[in-house]
């Protein structure tokens, strides 16, 4: 079984921390993200967290939004000790309603007659003293973003109104003595243009948090943490894919424990063109990482043969084969490591888990389901007995990129588009054969090459060529052909939850189409996918 490691000095013990308690809003992680943007460290826990279980005292607490209604039976409620802790509290949307529900003795919140989604104009009311601090420096009339159906029907005792919209007379409230604030709108989304100022007012001025969370400090601290965790004899193994997360995690391990970190790259036969070679070059030569490349492409491709129209089956075959190979390699590396003077059994597995994955595992989903086990590399078998080490588990994707830059990883790699674990197998709709892999790879390579040449790579979040399982008629050199169809897909997104297709100009698409049809044997047509997510997904399978 993989077990999670308890860090010796977690960041919340070193940095002033704002604790965000999550009631299940889609935007909770953005609150944490925004605070870190102005160098205040923040962590998120499920709203059911018990204060007595914390090993630190936060500088302030934010109660997030959520899909429930406080007055419903079974609605989540925060540990009441939160209100007696004596640190400032900010309730956002459901969080505001939760505060009002608590101080209003389970009354004062009801279903509103009018739901309020989208933009609203907020006007502020000044009272003097700490009550005004939340909106300090903001215009008296600001645009905010709303997403609620319930509203406060009356004010709990000791609170005053500090902001209102035409639809919400209590859109902002503050306790007259204590530093407690509630707002009905969402300051964490970009649609509330001055939201960040408000969050800063709360964290820095009201909670008096230091603004000293920086990537440089994170690196030093993380290296020290890894060293004390692993000891001076321990070995760590980890899979690398050439993607930004695994590369950054591997580089951090290299800095911390040198060659006692063993990176394994499995060539599954469905990587991008020249990818295995490139990854080897970058990681081994460029970053000095102790890397073993296993070419298992034949095994993967043999096992994929015959799977025609069940994408899930493809994913499973690839996942299971990966585990077989990785496990085998881990045994060999452990045996070799055992014979060296600094030997020890390999007892640690590196994983590039990011904060959004952790959040997903921790989120409030119902009283009996607070914590799910973390995803690991396709579920490694119990008898591997590895302990997890997750140096990126407190970071968001763009923070991982900043960390990559800090560690001297080159920009091209740091800004690489995400690539799925099952590789281009799920971009080949239909059966994955060596010939189909060739076609999909070559077409993809041309598309990405042109995107880079046009200077568009960073404007696009993810782009690839997919091979459709149909044939079309074409005419090439006066000859009738009956060949395959490539579908290009390129999307823009900030969080990969929703995405829109990229509006290339016609000349660009013409160029890509002409090159693919001319240069890739077996393709006679190119189409561009103009489906957003939802209803589409980013990948096609
Ligand atoms: N469910 C509550 C409402 O509709 C809170 C919504 C929210 O937090 N976004 O008012």
């Amino acid at each position: 079984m993989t077990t999670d490691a308890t860090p010796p000095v977690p960041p919340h013990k070193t940095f002033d921390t704002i604790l965000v308690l999550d009631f299940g809003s889609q935007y909770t992680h953005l609150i944490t993200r925004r605070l870190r943007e102005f160098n205040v460290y923040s962590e998120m826990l499920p709203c059911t967290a018990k204060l007595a279980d914390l090993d630190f005292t936060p500088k302030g607490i934010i109660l997030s939004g959520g899909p429930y209604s406080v007055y419903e039976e079974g609605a989540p409620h925060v540990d009441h000790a939160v209100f007696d802790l004596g640190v400032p509290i900010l309730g956002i949307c459901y969080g505001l309603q939760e505060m009002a529900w608590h101080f209003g003795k389970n009354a004062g919140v009801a279903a509103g007659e009018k739901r309020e989604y989208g933009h609203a104009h907020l006007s502020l009311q000044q009272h003097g003293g700490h009550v005004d601090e939340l909106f300090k420096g903001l215009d008296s009339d600001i645009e905010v973003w709303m997403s609620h159906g319930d509203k406060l029907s009356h004010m709990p005792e000791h609170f005053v109104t500090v902001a209102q919209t035409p639809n919400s007379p209590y859109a902002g409230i503050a306790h007259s003595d204590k530093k407690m604030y509630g707002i009905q709108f969402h300051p964490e989304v970009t649609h509330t243009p001055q939201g960040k100022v408000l969050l800063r007012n709360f964290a820095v001025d009201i909670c008096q948090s230091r603004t000293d969370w920086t990537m440089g400090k994170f690196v030093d601290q993380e290296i020290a943490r890894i060293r004390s965790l692993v000891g001076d004899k321990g070995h760590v193994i980890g899979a690398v894919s050439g993607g930004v997360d695994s590369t950054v995690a591997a580089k951090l391990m290299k800095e911390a424990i040198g060659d006692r970190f063993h990176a394994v790259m499995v060539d599954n036969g469905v990587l991008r063109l020249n990818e295995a070679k490139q990854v080897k070059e970058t990681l081994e030569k460029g970053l000095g990482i102790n890397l073993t490349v296993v070419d298992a492409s034949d095994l993967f491709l043999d096992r994929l043969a015959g799977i025609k129209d069940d994408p899930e089956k493809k994913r499973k075959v690839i996942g299971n084969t990966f585990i077989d190979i990785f496990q085998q390699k881990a045994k060999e590396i452990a045996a070799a490591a055992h014979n060296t003077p600094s030997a020890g059994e390999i007892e640690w597995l590196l994983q590039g888990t990011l904060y959004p994955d952790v959040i997903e595992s921790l989120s409030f989903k119902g009283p009996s389901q607070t914590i799910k086990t973390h995803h690991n590399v396709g579920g490694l078998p119990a008898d591997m007995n590895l302990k997890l080490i997750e140096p990126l588990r407190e970071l968001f994707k763009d923070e991982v990129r900043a960390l990559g830059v800090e560690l001297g990883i080159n920009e091209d790699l740091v800004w690489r588009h995400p690539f799925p674990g099952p590789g281009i197998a799920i971009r080949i709709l239909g059966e994955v054969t060596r010939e189909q892999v060739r076609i999909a790879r070559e077409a993809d390579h041309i598309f990405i090459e042109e995107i880079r040449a046009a200077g568009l790579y960073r404007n696009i979040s993810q782009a690839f060529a997919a091979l459709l399982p149909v044939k079309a008629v074409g005419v090439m050199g006066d000859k009738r052909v009956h060949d395959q169809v490539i579908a290009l897909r390129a999307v823009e997104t900030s969080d990969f939850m929703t995405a829109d297709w990229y509006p290339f100009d016609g000349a660009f698409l013409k160029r890509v189409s002409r090159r693919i049809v001319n240069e890739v044997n077996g393709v006679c047509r190119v189409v561009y996918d103009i489906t957003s997510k939802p209803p589409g997904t980013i990948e096609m399978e």
Side-chain angles (χ1 to χ4, degrees):
M1 263 273 294
T2 47
T3 49
D4 204 351
T6 318
V9 191
H12 56 238
K13 292 222 166 182
T14 319
F15 298 97
D16 283 350
T17 302
I18 301 289
L19 175 63
V20 177
L21 292 174
D22 174 37
F23 286 92
S25 158
Q26 293 179 55
Y27 312 112
T28 311
H29 66 283
L30 286 180
I31 306 173
T32 305
R33 184 71 200 88
R34 294 285 167 262
L35 297 172
R36 291 191 196 177
E37 272 169 20
F38 47 78
N39 308 97
V40 167
Y41 186 65
S42 166
E43 276 185 18
M44 179 180 145
L45 285 174
C47 60
T48 46
K50 294 274 168 281
L51 274 197
D53 295 340
L54 297 186
D55 61 352
F56 69 105
T57 306
K59 292 292 279 186
I61 295 177
I62 297 181
L63 308 176
S64 84
Y68 312 91
S69 290
V70 281
Y71 48 81
E72 270 170 355
E73 222 185 286
H77 294 289
V78 79
D79 180 0
H80 285 187
V82 159
F83 299 109
D84 300 322
L85 189 63
V87 303
I89 300 178
L90 171 64
I92 297 175
C93 204
Y94 185 95
L96 155 97
Q97 296 164 4
E98 172 71 356
M99 277 172 80
W101 191 245
H102 173 80
F103 287 101
K105 306 197 168 41
N106 300 353
V109 182
E113 312 83 71
K114 271 203 271 164
R115 296 185 300 186
E116 204 177 14
Y117 295 113
H119 292 286
H121 283 286
L122 189 81
S123 35
L124 305 181
Q125 276 161 276
Q126 302 262 322
H127 295 267
H130 81 272
V131 165
D132 297 335
E133 268 189 85
L134 191 63
F135 290 96
K136 205 177 64 190
L138 293 174
D139 305 336
S140 58
D141 216 334
I142 60 172
E143 199 171 314
V144 297
W145 196 80
M146 293 280 197
S147 174
H148 68 111
D150 298 334
K151 63 181 183 184
L152 263 56
S153 46
H154 57 264
M155 194 73 111
E157 237 181 283
H158 306 300
F159 278 82
V160 292
T161 306
V162 291
Q164 51 195 177
T165 67
N167 192 39
S168 299
Y170 309 117
I173 65 170
H175 195 285
S176 48
D177 311 319
K178 300 177 181 163
K179 298 197 167 187
M180 292 188 188
Y181 307 83
I183 47 181
Q184 186 60 74
F185 58 92
H186 289 267
E188 69 276 25
V189 302
T190 48
H191 298 76
T192 300
Q194 300 194 57
K196 207 162 141 180
V197 179
L198 185 150
L199 288 171
R200 198 188 155 91
N201 286 345
F202 178 71
V204 180
D205 297 332
I206 297 172
C207 301
Q208 304 267 299
S209 278
R210 277 174 291 152
T211 51
D212 56 357
W213 158 259
T214 64
M215 216 27 103
K217 279 203 187 149
F218 176 82
V219 171
D220 295 345
Q221 192 188 311
E222 200 49 30
I223 287 178
R225 186 181 82 90
I226 293 166
R227 286 184 183 150
S228 79
L229 212 54
V230 176
D232 48 7
K233 291 212 164 42
H235 287 253
V236 180
I237 191 166
V240 290
S241 63
V244 55
D245 304 342
S246 65
T247 308
V248 169
K251 179 64 178 163
L252 202 53
M253 295 308 295
K254 156 83 190 169
E255 297 293 312
I257 59 166
D259 282 352
R260 286 184 290 126
F261 171 63
H262 308 264
V264 177
M265 149 104 184
V266 177
D267 182 349
N268 58 14
V270 281
L271 301 174
R272 287 171 282 206
L273 194 69
N274 302 330
E275 186 153 39
K277 216 174 95 210
Q278 262 170 20
V279 172
K280 192 170 159 64
E281 235 150 68
T282 321
L283 268 69
E284 210 172 47
K285 291 212 189 91
L287 301 175
I289 290 164
N290 176 11
L291 173 73
T292 310
V293 179
V294 192
D295 181 0
S297 41
D298 281 335
L299 181 64
F300 278 91
L301 291 171
D302 290 348
R303 289 195 186 170
L304 281 167
I307 306 172
K308 292 205 165 61
D309 43 28
D310 186 353
E312 278 314 297
K313 221 167 160 187
K314 283 185 192 170
R315 286 175 183 271
K316 272 203 194 98
V317 164
I318 293 176
N320 293 340
T321 309
F322 175 85
I323 290 165
D324 292 349
I325 307 272
F326 188 79
Q327 201 175 9
Q328 174 59 34
K329 216 58 222 171
K331 273 192 200 140
E332 288 171 31
I333 288 172
H338 210 57
N339 289 328
T340 64
S342 68
E345 284 293 329
I346 293 191
E347 47 168 342
W348 296 95
L349 173 72
L350 170 71
Q351 263 195 164
T353 315
L354 302 195
Y355 203 53
D357 308 326
V358 178
I359 290 171
E360 214 160 85
S361 316
L362 292 179
S363 281
F364 174 81
K365 297 267 165 54
S368 62
Q369 203 202 339
T370 337
I371 298 186
K372 281 192 298 192
T373 43
H374 297 152
H375 75 115
N376 53 26
V377 188
L380 288 170
D383 62 3
M384 277 191 81
N385 215 9
L386 289 162
K387 286 181 278 189
L388 284 188
I389 189 160
E390 299 176 307
L392 313 180
R393 58 172 287 134
E394 270 105 20
L395 305 182
F396 291 97
K397 188 87 179 179
D398 45 354
E399 290 175 319
V400 172
R401 293 197 159 120
L403 173 57
V405 172
E406 184 85 28
L407 289 167
I409 299 173
N410 80 37
E411 295 256 319
D412 267 5
L413 207 155
V414 162
W415 286 98
R416 217 151 179 233
H417 291 173
F419 185 62
I424 54 175
I426 55 165
R427 294 172 176 180
I428 295 169
L429 284 69
E431 191 177 1
V432 179
T433 62
R434 284 170 176 76
E435 175 62 358
Q436 296 294 76
V437 170
R438 177 194 63 80
I439 295 175
R441 254 185 193 160
E442 289 179 3
D444 184 71
H445 190 73
I446 292 171
F447 185 34
I448 301 297
E449 205 168 66
E450 287 296 335
I451 287 177
R452 283 192 195 278
L456 298 174
Y457 191 78
R458 282 228 209 153
N459 303 354
I460 293 167
S461 312
Q462 194 164 332
F464 59 90
L467 183 52
L468 302 183
V470 286
K471 282 194 162 186
V473 171
V475 52
M476 286 169 132
D478 279 343
K479 233 171 77 184
R480 177 190 189 273
V481 292
H482 193 215
D483 269 343
Q484 303 197 74
V485 184
I486 283 288
L488 305 175
R489 179 129 174 94
V491 296
E492 294 174 291
T493 172
S494 54
D495 54 11
F496 292 88
M497 301 301 289
T498 57
D500 212 349
W501 54 276
Y502 189 78
F504 289 116
D505 64 37
F508 174 87
L509 289 171
K510 255 186 206 170
R511 194 158 61 242
V512 175
S513 151
R514 190 174 56 235
R515 277 198 61 194
I516 291 178
V517 174
N518 284 344
E519 296 172 36
V520 185
N521 258 335
V523 178
C524 71
R525 254 166 224 253
V526 176
V527 298
Y528 185 44
D529 184 346
I530 50 166
T531 320
S532 60
K533 171 186 179 175
T537 52
I538 294 175
E539 294 292 340
M540 288 206 188
E541 282 196 334

